[in-house]
Amino acid sequence: GGMRAEEIQKQEKISSRTVYKYLNLVYISPRIVNDIMDSQIPQHINLQKLFEIASKYRDFNKQEKVFYR
């Protein structure tokens, strides 16, 4: 089991919008995650851009195309 989004929101004292924004990161391409963990982040990528990629693209290939452009 896990926590419901509402429980996370209350516990962390953040908005539900923020909770869902972070939850989108769960669906980021494993290749992107590995490169971030290895500090191999393209110059044009910041946290805001990563949130945008995670929420806009479900397909890993499309995510990677934007991330590695």
Side-chain angles (χ1 to χ4, degrees):
M3 292 179 82
R4 292 183 24 215
E6 295 80 19
E7 294 168 4
I8 296 170
Q9 176 188 347
K10 286 179 189 169
Q11 180 178 313
E12 299 300 321
K13 297 177 179 66
I14 56 178
S15 72
S16 61
R17 182 177 179 179
T18 301
V19 172
Y20 287 106
K21 192 162 87 169
Y22 278 95
L23 285 175
N24 279 333
L25 293 178
V26 171
Y27 301 103
I28 281 284
S29 154
R31 179 178 170 211
I32 292 174
V33 172
N34 285 336
D35 282 352
I36 290 171
M37 297 301 288
D38 290 339
S39 298
Q40 302 297 316
I41 304 164
Q43 198 87 31
H44 70 281
I45 296 294
N46 58 27
L47 187 57
Q48 200 58 40
K49 187 68 176 172
L50 197 59
F51 283 136
E52 181 185 316
I53 291 169
S55 66
K56 197 171 184 180
Y57 307 103
R58 291 286 180 210
D59 180 76
F60 289 166
N61 291 324
K62 289 179 183 171
Q63 291 176 358
E64 292 168 7
K65 203 172 281 187
V66 175
F67 186 83
Y68 297 108
R69 72 167 166 102

